[in-house]
Amino acid sequence: MADKKIKSTKKVKHIGLVKNDPWLEPFEQAIKGRHDHALWKLNDLTNNGKQSLSDFATGYLYFGLHKTDKGWVFREWAPNATEIFLIGDFNNWQETEKYKLKKLKNGNWEIKLSKNALKHEQLYKLSVHWEGGQGERIPAWANRVVQDENTKIFSAQVWAPEKEYVWKKKKFKPDTSPLMIYECHIGMAQDAEKVGSYTEFKDNILPRVINDGYNCLQIMAIAEHPYYGSFGYHVSNFFAPSSRFGTPEELKELVDEAHRNGISVIMDIVHSHAVKNEVEGLGNFAGDPCQYFNQGERREHPAWDSLCFDYGKNEVLHFLLSNCKYWLEEYHFDGYRFDGVTSMLYYSHGLGEAFGGYGDYFNGHEDDEAIAYLTLANLLIHEVNPSAITIAEEVSGMPGLAAPFKDGGYGFDYRMAMNIPDYWIKTIKELKDEDWKPSSMFWETTNRRADEKTISYAESHDQALVGDKTIIFRLIDADMYWHFKKGDENLVADRGIALHKMIRLLTASTINGGYLNFMGNEFGHPEWIDFPREGNGWSYKYARRQWDLVDNHELCYHYLGDFDQSMVKLIRSVKKFQNTKVVEVWHNDGDQILAYSRGDLLFVFNFSPNRSYTDYGFIVPQGAYNVMLNTDAKQYGGNNFADDTVTHFTNYDPIYEKDGKGWLKLYIPARSAVVLKKVD
């Protein structure tokens, strides 16, 4: 008798990421390989668990300039250097034996000085010598860097005020139910044509954010950067908060005041690349262009005119991980939005890649060292602060980015839903209003991995920059300048006001994690962002926010601002709104109608530009429904066609009675959306 094959009944144990998404099964070994590589690196950095990752990431306490009970100590990592001198206004910027550093092991250098050798606010640099060359450098770990107003030269500054900042709010836990982010830039936050300060933001802008109901500030351009117009993305000094906005204490006051008002503060952290500058930055620190950066062709980013870190070097990991811990500990930031993650994940930086299927994420062009770094950064951040927030700005759709490390993920709390703003732009640009399809809108705003939380947004700072257009400008364009005064509105302005509200409501109400708005976009700020540069005569005209527009109730801007405030308040009124299931109730692309529910809330949209519907019916749970928010309300610049004081009751239908459902019939004006709540 021939042998019969016996089928094994033993279940294959899959890693969590694959359990949640069986389509990843063909790539499970690659996922496990990346996970194991991160574990191996973790053990390497922690001496097989003899110390914690947090213990490892304390470079900022060792390197740089520190005041001690005995005097001053300064240390730097510069393995290629042959001599290093501390120079500054304390020694007339001359190399002297008194300020010469001593070489230690592992490429480290050190100098110990008496108490009176340096004073608070004195300027300094390093004079670094190497085989065949010499140059002035700002220390890599400098925690204060300033620019001379006249010469425009940057220098490190001794920062040791007599009194340390005393935190008023010592303990703070972010409110993420849901996370409502106000993305902002300190310098361009003021009305005046100038660089705004931390204090001005605290006094003038923070109260607006509080009033508007957002519970998280996401601040751009914190780490020092030589060129203001880089929006903070070409970082030179990773441990120095930009002095153009004020002092370290003033930044701490801003964070502290936000915390006292229940608002978490996260910063854009740029570990995907660094500025090329050599004197200000790390570009050629001690005669070695690759001390911090990749060798050969991989050193320079082909699209960003910047340098790419070598994540395979433990010293570079020490620098970057210490940087992650530093801002959490020293400035009480509540987490980070990691910029340029796509660029880190792939040797190609994701440039020119389609990413059309899962195989594109596992075909050998992924940078496992960068993936390990991102994973370790998330482990570290949550070890230092278990309540910290981490967000990945990533466009390729890499699976597992915002999944837990134990499941084979990279450990981010959220990923940016970058498809949504692209979708809205494409819709506005390419489709006639009659061709907008609600089914497509619903799919795009809810299309995400079930095991990963996202930050949804209709537009961010990216869409507000010169060369692009905000949603309001795409909708109204030049008519904003002539027809945004009450009584002077034309059809173009009316359309723009209506759709601006509807797009935001649909985007914000379908979140599974959080929602983001860029400063000023909530009220339809009319101008693009253009930082001072040679091409505009170094003007600050467009590097500011015109708050007087939304404050002026003779103009239409306040309609949009008031609606945004009401929308945020409504979403935050529902506990764990982001966790409630989004259930499609109805869509009809011909009618351009969309309806969906979340818990007791019912969202109804009519995107038709010219068709209003009377007694349009939806099958919903039986009961009474009250209007909570209506884009067509007069207070938000609408036509006020419906009576929102009326309670709407479901009609009996024997077919749906057994399910406890009935017909809810509504009047839905053209280009409007309404939110109703089921009441007892």
Side-chain angles (χ1 to χ4, degrees):
M1 187 173 145
D3 290 339
K4 284 186 178 178
K5 267 193 175 176
I6 300 171
K7 259 192 174 178
S8 172
T9 56
K10 190 179 177 183
K11 265 193 169 182
V12 179
K13 191 174 181 182
H14 291 297
I15 200 165
L17 205 58
V18 177
K19 276 185 195 171
N20 294 332
D21 184 355
W23 290 98
L24 285 171
E25 196 171 326
F27 313 104
E28 186 160 17
Q29 287 309 308
I31 294 168
K32 283 180 176 176
R34 291 174 190 174
H35 181 81
D36 291 344
H37 181 66
L39 273 179
W40 171 81
K41 184 58 78 173
L42 175 64
N43 288 329
D44 183 33
L45 301 182
T46 61
N47 196 12
N48 291 316
K50 289 177 184 172
Q51 65 173 351
S52 68
L53 197 54
S54 180
D55 293 331
F56 171 77
T58 53
Y60 61 93
L61 298 175
Y62 179 79
F63 291 110
L65 182 64
H66 300 278
K67 193 176 185 180
T68 69
D69 293 338
K70 296 178 181 178
W72 299 89
V73 61
F74 175 85
R75 300 186 187 94
E76 190 68 69
W77 175 59
N80 201 51
T82 55
E83 280 186 312
I84 303 180
F85 296 87
L86 207 60
I87 60 172
D89 47 17
F90 44 81
N91 62 6
N92 204 27
W93 299 94
Q94 301 298 310
E95 295 181 356
T96 60
E97 283 298 312
K98 179 182 175 182
Y99 291 94
K100 185 176 181 179
L101 276 67
K102 176 185 174 186
K103 190 169 188 178
L104 308 177
K105 59 182 180 179
N106 299 325
N108 296 334
W109 297 75
E110 179 185 79
I111 186 170
K112 291 181 178 177
L113 298 165
S114 63
K115 286 184 178 180
N116 60 3
L118 299 172
K119 291 178 182 174
H120 177 56
E121 293 190 328
Q122 285 185 318
L123 304 179
Y124 71 99
K125 285 183 186 174
L126 300 178
S127 179
V128 184
H129 293 251
W130 56 86
E131 290 293 337
Q134 179 270 338
E136 291 185 0
R137 298 288 185 265
I138 291 177
W141 301 76
N143 60 9
R144 172 77 171 164
V145 175
V146 295
Q147 185 179 27
D148 185 279
E149 285 186 15
N150 298 316
T151 65
K152 305 301 180 186
I153 292 172
F154 285 89
S155 301
Q157 187 176 44
V158 178
W159 199 258
E162 283 185 26
K163 291 183 180 178
E164 284 191 13
Y165 183 79
V166 179
W167 292 89
K168 298 178 185 72
K169 184 80 173 175
K170 291 179 172 61
K171 290 186 178 179
F172 178 78
K173 186 175 181 181
D175 174 11
T176 57
S177 181
L179 192 62
M180 304 297 283
I181 301 171
Y182 199 82
E183 184 188 30
C184 54
H185 183 284
I186 299 295
M188 59 168 286
Q190 304 303 314
D191 270 318
E193 294 182 29
K194 63 168 192 171
V195 178
S197 69
Y198 298 123
T199 300
E200 286 173 321
F201 191 98
K202 172 178 67 74
D203 294 343
N204 303 331
I205 312 307
L206 184 59
R208 292 180 181 274
V209 180
I210 295 164
N211 193 49
D212 287 346
Y214 289 87
N215 59 14
C216 179
L217 283 177
Q218 180 182 302
I219 309 181
M220 309 170 68
I222 290 293
E224 192 58 86
H225 43 291
Y227 180 46
Y228 185 49
S230 76
F231 232 138
Y233 291 129
H234 276 193
V235 175
S236 53
N237 313 106
F238 287 79
F239 291 85
S242 182
S243 61
R244 56 171 63 85
F245 308 136
T247 67
E249 285 68 37
E250 287 165 344
L251 173 56
K252 290 175 183 178
E253 281 184 307
L254 166 56
V255 176
D256 206 0
E257 185 63 19
H259 284 172
R260 289 177 66 202
N261 286 278
I263 296 176
S264 53
V265 188
I266 62 177
M267 64 176 270
D268 271 12
I269 197 164
V270 186
H271 285 180
S272 46
H273 62 134
V275 75
K276 279 183 174 180
N277 298 34
E278 296 184 1
V279 176
E280 295 89 2
L282 306 172
N284 184 21
F285 194 75
D288 177 6
C290 299
Q291 179 177 330
Y292 286 92
F293 306 107
N294 283 319
Q295 302 278 342
E297 290 182 358
R298 293 190 62 214
R299 181 174 179 268
E300 293 195 19
H301 196 290
W304 293 349
D305 192 33
S306 55
L307 303 178
C308 302
F309 285 107
D310 182 351
Y311 305 105
K313 272 188 185 174
N314 283 3
E315 294 88 349
V316 174
L317 294 183
H318 187 230
F319 181 80
L320 295 175
L321 290 171
S322 295
N323 193 238
C324 291
K325 184 177 177 182
Y326 170 76
W327 295 103
L328 298 176
E329 294 281 273
E330 184 66 24
Y331 289 91
H332 291 200
F333 277 98
D334 300 295
Y336 305 102
R337 169 201 178 263
F338 276 74
D339 179 70
V341 171
T342 306
S343 177
M344 299 170 73
L345 295 176
Y346 307 98
Y347 294 129
S348 66
H349 304 293
L351 299 171
E353 305 234 20
F355 299 105
Y358 276 176
D360 294 337
Y361 306 114
F362 305 98
N363 63 9
H365 73 328
E366 302 81 33
D367 187 341
D368 285 348
E369 301 292 4
I371 289 170
Y373 165 66
L374 289 168
T375 306
L376 293 175
N378 277 294
L379 290 173
L380 166 73
I381 291 162
H382 293 105
E383 182 183 324
V384 174
N385 179 3
S387 300
I389 299 160
T390 60
I391 304 169
E393 188 244 6
E394 204 283 311
V395 74
S396 79
M398 169 68 79
L401 199 63
F405 177 59
K406 64 180 175 61
D407 291 338
Y410 304 170
F412 283 97
D413 296 303
Y414 307 89
R415 64 191 306 157
M416 301 291 289
M418 299 183 76
N419 61 301
I420 297 176
D422 289 346
Y423 171 78
W424 287 124
I425 289 167
K426 190 177 173 66
T427 299
I428 295 168
K429 275 174 70 175
E430 299 179 7
L431 296 181
K432 293 186 296 183
D433 289 10
E434 292 81 2
D435 296 332
W436 287 29
K437 290 184 167 54
S439 61
S440 173
M441 298 173 194
F442 186 73
W443 186 88
E444 200 71 46
T445 52
T446 58
N447 176 31
R448 55 216 170 197
R449 302 183 61 77
D451 56 349
E452 299 188 45
K453 291 184 289 186
T454 59
I455 301 295
S456 298
Y457 60 109
E459 54 186 343
S460 68
H461 73 273
D462 285 328
Q463 287 73 40
L465 288 165
V466 161
D468 208 334
K469 282 185 178 181
T470 58
I471 283 175
I472 199 71
F473 232 92
R474 287 190 184 281
L475 291 169
I476 304 179
D477 215 277
D479 284 275
M480 288 199 75
Y481 298 118
W482 310 108
H483 297 286
F484 236 56
K485 186 177 181 182
K486 289 181 182 177
D488 288 341
E489 305 97 323
N490 62 4
L491 292 176
V492 175
D494 285 341
R495 169 183 179 263
I497 290 169
L499 289 175
H500 192 271
K501 292 177 288 186
M502 294 176 73
I503 287 168
R504 277 173 148 63
L505 179 61
L506 206 162
T507 304
S509 63
T510 48
I511 58 173
N512 77 331
Y515 173 74
L516 176 141
N517 165 71
F518 178 67
M519 173 177 71
N521 284 1
E522 71 277 10
F523 67 82
H525 196 284
E527 305 290 9
W528 55 79
I529 300 163
D530 189 12
F531 281 93
R533 56 187 172 84
E534 192 174 359
N536 65 15
W538 303 103
S539 168
Y540 287 88
K541 184 177 181 182
Y542 299 109
R544 63 190 180 112
R545 298 281 90 177
Q546 299 179 61
W547 301 105
D548 59 310
L549 296 176
V550 70
D551 292 340
N552 186 345
H553 279 225
E554 291 183 8
L555 302 177
C556 296
Y557 296 97
H558 86 88
Y559 288 144
L560 303 179
D562 291 347
F563 175 79
D564 194 80
Q565 186 182 103
S566 297
M567 179 185 78
V568 171
K569 184 180 177 182
L570 176 64
I571 289 170
R572 287 191 62 195
S573 71
V574 179
K575 194 175 181 182
K576 295 188 177 178
F577 177 87
Q578 75 281 10
N579 295 340
T580 58
K581 199 172 179 185
V582 185
V583 180
E584 185 177 11
V585 172
W586 175 257
H587 81 258
N588 185 307
D589 287 343
D591 294 340
Q592 292 183 280
I593 294 286
L594 172 67
Y596 52 88
S597 64
R598 297 198 79 158
D600 289 336
L601 293 179
L602 176 67
F603 299 83
V604 179
F605 294 79
N606 177 6
F607 277 95
S608 173
N610 49 27
R611 287 174 293 169
S612 298
Y613 298 100
T614 304
D615 289 338
Y616 203 102
F618 306 97
I619 300 297
V620 296
Q622 285 179 0
Y625 289 78
N626 285 338
V627 173
M628 305 301 293
L629 185 64
N630 190 342
T631 65
D632 195 47
K634 192 172 185 179
Q635 70 193 93
Y636 307 129
N639 295 305
N640 220 35
F641 283 146
D643 184 355
D644 292 339
T645 64
V646 172
T647 297
H648 299 270
F649 295 90
T650 52
N651 296 328
Y652 170 77
D653 189 317
I655 298 174
Y656 302 105
E657 170 68 17
K658 65 180 187 304
D659 298 322
K661 293 185 176 181
W663 285 96
L664 183 68
K665 297 196 173 182
L666 303 172
Y667 170 56
I668 321 169
R671 262 197 209 120
S672 73
V674 63
V675 185
L676 303 105
K677 184 177 183 180
K678 186 175 181 296
V679 293
D680 295 331

Short mmCIF file of all heavy atoms in Angstrom, two decimals, residues 172-176 179-182 206 209 214-219 255 258-267 332-335 387 389:
data_model
loop_
_atom_site.label_atom_id
_atom_site.label_comp_id
_atom_site.label_asym_id
_atom_site.label_seq_id
_atom_site.Cartn_x
_atom_site.Cartn_y
_atom_site.Cartn_z
N PHE A 172 2.66 65.98 32.53
CA PHE A 172 1.62 66.23 31.52
C PHE A 172 1.42 64.97 30.69
O PHE A 172 2.38 64.32 30.28
CB PHE A 172 2.03 67.39 30.61
CG PHE A 172 1.03 67.67 29.52
CD1 PHE A 172 -0.13 68.38 29.80
CD2 PHE A 172 1.23 67.22 28.22
CE1 PHE A 172 -1.07 68.63 28.81
CE2 PHE A 172 0.31 67.46 27.22
CZ PHE A 172 -0.85 68.17 27.52
N LYS A 173 0.16 64.65 30.44
CA LYS A 173 -0.16 63.51 29.59
C LYS A 173 -1.02 64.01 28.43
O LYS A 173 -2.09 64.59 28.64
CB LYS A 173 -0.92 62.43 30.37
CG LYS A 173 -1.14 61.16 29.56
CD LYS A 173 -1.79 60.07 30.40
CE LYS A 173 -1.99 58.80 29.58
NZ LYS A 173 -2.63 57.73 30.36
N PRO A 174 -0.57 63.80 27.18
CA PRO A 174 -1.32 64.30 26.02
C PRO A 174 -2.72 63.71 25.93
O PRO A 174 -2.95 62.54 26.26
CB PRO A 174 -0.47 63.84 24.83
CG PRO A 174 0.90 63.65 25.38
CD PRO A 174 0.70 63.17 26.79
N ASP A 175 -3.64 64.54 25.48
CA ASP A 175 -5.00 64.10 25.16
C ASP A 175 -5.01 63.66 23.69
O ASP A 175 -4.82 64.48 22.80
CB ASP A 175 -5.98 65.25 25.39
CG ASP A 175 -7.40 64.93 24.95
OD1 ASP A 175 -7.68 63.75 24.65
OD2 ASP A 175 -8.23 65.86 24.89
N THR A 176 -5.23 62.39 23.46
CA THR A 176 -5.23 61.88 22.08
C THR A 176 -6.60 61.31 21.70
O THR A 176 -6.70 60.42 20.87
CB THR A 176 -4.16 60.79 21.91
OG1 THR A 176 -4.39 59.74 22.85
CG2 THR A 176 -2.76 61.35 22.13
N LEU A 179 -6.67 63.06 18.63
CA LEU A 179 -5.58 64.02 18.50
C LEU A 179 -5.96 65.05 17.43
O LEU A 179 -6.15 64.70 16.27
CB LEU A 179 -4.30 63.29 18.11
CG LEU A 179 -2.98 64.06 18.19
CD1 LEU A 179 -2.69 64.50 19.61
CD2 LEU A 179 -1.84 63.19 17.67
N MET A 180 -6.07 66.30 17.83
CA MET A 180 -6.43 67.38 16.90
C MET A 180 -5.25 68.34 16.83
O MET A 180 -4.99 69.12 17.75
CB MET A 180 -7.70 68.10 17.36
CG MET A 180 -8.90 67.17 17.56
SD MET A 180 -9.46 66.35 16.04
CE MET A 180 -10.35 67.67 15.23
N ILE A 181 -4.51 68.27 15.73
CA ILE A 181 -3.21 68.93 15.62
C ILE A 181 -3.31 70.27 14.91
O ILE A 181 -3.91 70.39 13.84
CB ILE A 181 -2.22 68.03 14.86
CG1 ILE A 181 -2.04 66.69 15.58
CG2 ILE A 181 -0.87 68.72 14.70
CD1 ILE A 181 -1.23 65.68 14.78
N TYR A 182 -2.67 71.26 15.51
CA TYR A 182 -2.52 72.58 14.90
C TYR A 182 -1.07 72.72 14.48
O TYR A 182 -0.19 72.95 15.31
CB TYR A 182 -2.92 73.68 15.89
CG TYR A 182 -3.25 75.01 15.25
CD1 TYR A 182 -4.50 75.24 14.69
CD2 TYR A 182 -2.31 76.04 15.22
CE1 TYR A 182 -4.81 76.47 14.11
CE2 TYR A 182 -2.61 77.26 14.64
CZ TYR A 182 -3.87 77.47 14.09
OH TYR A 182 -4.18 78.69 13.51
N LEU A 206 -1.16 81.12 20.80
CA LEU A 206 -1.62 80.01 21.64
C LEU A 206 -3.06 80.21 22.13
O LEU A 206 -3.85 79.26 22.09
CB LEU A 206 -0.66 79.81 22.82
CG LEU A 206 -0.96 78.62 23.73
CD1 LEU A 206 -0.95 77.31 22.96
CD2 LEU A 206 0.05 78.57 24.89
N VAL A 209 -5.37 79.01 19.47
CA VAL A 209 -5.39 77.55 19.36
C VAL A 209 -6.27 76.96 20.45
O VAL A 209 -7.07 76.04 20.21
CB VAL A 209 -3.95 76.98 19.44
CG1 VAL A 209 -3.97 75.45 19.33
CG2 VAL A 209 -3.08 77.58 18.34
N TYR A 214 -8.18 72.92 19.43
CA TYR A 214 -7.14 71.93 19.11
C TYR A 214 -6.41 71.52 20.39
O TYR A 214 -6.26 72.33 21.31
CB TYR A 214 -6.16 72.50 18.08
CG TYR A 214 -6.78 72.64 16.71
CD1 TYR A 214 -7.49 73.78 16.35
CD2 TYR A 214 -6.68 71.61 15.78
CE1 TYR A 214 -8.08 73.91 15.10
CE2 TYR A 214 -7.27 71.72 14.52
CZ TYR A 214 -7.97 72.87 14.19
OH TYR A 214 -8.56 72.98 12.96
N ASN A 215 -5.96 70.27 20.45
CA ASN A 215 -5.30 69.80 21.68
C ASN A 215 -3.83 69.44 21.48
O ASN A 215 -3.22 68.83 22.35
CB ASN A 215 -6.07 68.61 22.29
CG ASN A 215 -6.19 67.43 21.34
OD1 ASN A 215 -5.51 67.37 20.32
ND2 ASN A 215 -7.07 66.49 21.67
N CYS A 216 -3.28 69.81 20.32
CA CYS A 216 -1.87 69.50 20.06
C CYS A 216 -1.27 70.53 19.12
O CYS A 216 -1.85 70.82 18.07
CB CYS A 216 -1.74 68.10 19.45
SG CYS A 216 -0.05 67.61 19.08
N LEU A 217 -0.12 71.08 19.51
CA LEU A 217 0.66 71.93 18.62
C LEU A 217 1.73 71.08 17.95
O LEU A 217 2.42 70.32 18.63
CB LEU A 217 1.38 73.04 19.41
CG LEU A 217 0.61 74.25 19.89
CD1 LEU A 217 1.55 75.14 20.70
CD2 LEU A 217 0.03 75.04 18.73
N GLN A 218 1.86 71.20 16.66
CA GLN A 218 2.98 70.58 15.95
C GLN A 218 3.83 71.73 15.40
O GLN A 218 3.41 72.44 14.48
CB GLN A 218 2.50 69.69 14.81
CG GLN A 218 3.63 69.02 14.03
CD GLN A 218 3.10 68.20 12.88
OE1 GLN A 218 2.31 67.28 13.08
NE2 GLN A 218 3.52 68.52 11.66
N ILE A 219 5.00 71.93 16.00
CA ILE A 219 5.80 73.10 15.67
C ILE A 219 6.92 72.73 14.71
O ILE A 219 7.70 71.81 14.96
CB ILE A 219 6.39 73.75 16.94
CG1 ILE A 219 5.31 73.99 17.98
CG2 ILE A 219 7.07 75.06 16.57
CD1 ILE A 219 5.80 74.66 19.25
N VAL A 255 6.07 75.92 25.80
CA VAL A 255 5.65 74.52 26.02
C VAL A 255 4.89 74.39 27.33
O VAL A 255 3.83 73.75 27.40
CB VAL A 255 6.87 73.58 26.00
CG1 VAL A 255 6.45 72.15 26.32
CG2 VAL A 255 7.57 73.62 24.63
N ALA A 258 1.40 75.86 27.09
CA ALA A 258 0.53 74.95 26.32
C ALA A 258 0.07 73.80 27.21
O ALA A 258 -1.12 73.46 27.24
CB ALA A 258 1.28 74.42 25.10
N HIS A 259 1.00 73.23 27.96
CA HIS A 259 0.65 72.12 28.85
C HIS A 259 -0.35 72.55 29.92
O HIS A 259 -1.27 71.79 30.27
CB HIS A 259 1.92 71.58 29.52
CG HIS A 259 2.76 70.74 28.61
ND1 HIS A 259 4.01 70.28 28.95
CD2 HIS A 259 2.53 70.26 27.36
CE1 HIS A 259 4.50 69.57 27.95
NE2 HIS A 259 3.62 69.55 26.99
N ARG A 260 -0.18 73.76 30.43
CA ARG A 260 -1.10 74.25 31.47
C ARG A 260 -2.52 74.38 30.93
O ARG A 260 -3.49 74.38 31.68
CB ARG A 260 -0.62 75.61 32.00
CG ARG A 260 0.64 75.50 32.85
CD ARG A 260 1.13 76.87 33.29
NE ARG A 260 0.18 77.50 34.19
CZ ARG A 260 0.11 78.81 34.42
NH1 ARG A 260 0.91 79.63 33.76
NH2 ARG A 260 -0.76 79.31 35.26
N ASN A 261 -2.64 74.48 29.60
CA ASN A 261 -3.95 74.59 28.97
C ASN A 261 -4.38 73.29 28.28
O ASN A 261 -5.29 73.29 27.44
CB ASN A 261 -3.94 75.74 27.96
CG ASN A 261 -3.96 77.09 28.64
OD1 ASN A 261 -5.01 77.58 29.04
ND2 ASN A 261 -2.78 77.70 28.81
N GLY A 262 -3.72 72.19 28.65
CA GLY A 262 -4.14 70.88 28.15
C GLY A 262 -3.71 70.57 26.74
O GLY A 262 -4.25 69.65 26.11
N ILE A 263 -2.76 71.35 26.20
CA ILE A 263 -2.32 71.17 24.82
C ILE A 263 -0.94 70.53 24.78
O ILE A 263 0.01 71.04 25.37
CB ILE A 263 -2.31 72.52 24.07
CG1 ILE A 263 -3.73 73.06 23.98
CG2 ILE A 263 -1.70 72.38 22.68
CD1 ILE A 263 -3.84 74.43 23.33
N SER A 264 -0.83 69.40 24.08
CA SER A 264 0.48 68.76 23.93
C SER A 264 1.26 69.49 22.85
O SER A 264 0.69 70.19 22.00
CB SER A 264 0.32 67.27 23.57
OG SER A 264 -0.53 67.11 22.46
N VAL A 265 2.58 69.33 22.88
CA VAL A 265 3.45 70.02 21.93
C VAL A 265 4.43 69.01 21.33
O VAL A 265 5.22 68.41 22.06
CB VAL A 265 4.25 71.17 22.59
CG1 VAL A 265 4.99 71.97 21.54
CG2 VAL A 265 3.33 72.07 23.40
N ILE A 266 4.33 68.81 20.03
CA ILE A 266 5.28 67.94 19.35
C ILE A 266 6.06 68.79 18.34
O ILE A 266 5.61 69.87 17.96
CB ILE A 266 4.59 66.76 18.63
CG1 ILE A 266 3.63 67.25 17.54
CG2 ILE A 266 3.84 65.89 19.64
CD1 ILE A 266 2.98 66.13 16.74
N MET A 267 7.24 68.33 17.97
CA MET A 267 8.04 69.10 17.02
C MET A 267 8.36 68.27 15.80
O MET A 267 8.42 67.04 15.86
CB MET A 267 9.33 69.61 17.68
CG MET A 267 10.30 68.54 18.12
SD MET A 267 11.85 69.22 18.79
CE MET A 267 12.86 69.34 17.31
N HIS A 332 10.61 69.24 27.36
CA HIS A 332 9.30 68.64 27.66
C HIS A 332 8.40 68.52 26.44
O HIS A 332 7.16 68.55 26.57
CB HIS A 332 8.58 69.41 28.77
CG HIS A 332 9.23 69.27 30.12
ND1 HIS A 332 8.56 69.51 31.29
CD2 HIS A 332 10.49 68.90 30.49
CE1 HIS A 332 9.37 69.31 32.32
NE2 HIS A 332 10.56 68.94 31.85
N PHE A 333 9.01 68.38 25.25
CA PHE A 333 8.17 68.08 24.07
C PHE A 333 7.50 66.74 24.29
O PHE A 333 8.02 65.85 24.97
CB PHE A 333 9.02 68.06 22.80
CG PHE A 333 9.27 69.42 22.21
CD1 PHE A 333 10.45 70.10 22.46
CD2 PHE A 333 8.31 70.03 21.42
CE1 PHE A 333 10.67 71.36 21.93
CE2 PHE A 333 8.52 71.30 20.89
CZ PHE A 333 9.70 71.97 21.14
N ASP A 334 6.32 66.58 23.69
CA ASP A 334 5.52 65.37 23.89
C ASP A 334 5.67 64.36 22.76
O ASP A 334 4.96 63.36 22.73
CB ASP A 334 4.04 65.75 24.02
CG ASP A 334 3.81 66.68 25.20
OD1 ASP A 334 4.01 66.25 26.35
OD2 ASP A 334 3.45 67.86 24.97
N GLY A 335 6.60 64.62 21.86
CA GLY A 335 6.82 63.68 20.77
C GLY A 335 7.22 64.39 19.50
O GLY A 335 7.58 65.57 19.51
N SER A 387 3.72 58.00 27.10
CA SER A 387 2.58 58.72 26.51
C SER A 387 2.99 59.56 25.30
O SER A 387 2.16 60.30 24.75
CB SER A 387 1.94 59.65 27.55
OG SER A 387 1.47 58.90 28.65
N ILE A 389 4.01 60.93 21.58
CA ILE A 389 3.34 60.82 20.28
C ILE A 389 4.41 60.78 19.19
O ILE A 389 5.27 61.65 19.14
CB ILE A 389 2.43 62.03 20.04
CG1 ILE A 389 1.34 62.11 21.12
CG2 ILE A 389 1.82 62.01 18.64
CD1 ILE A 389 0.71 63.50 21.25
#
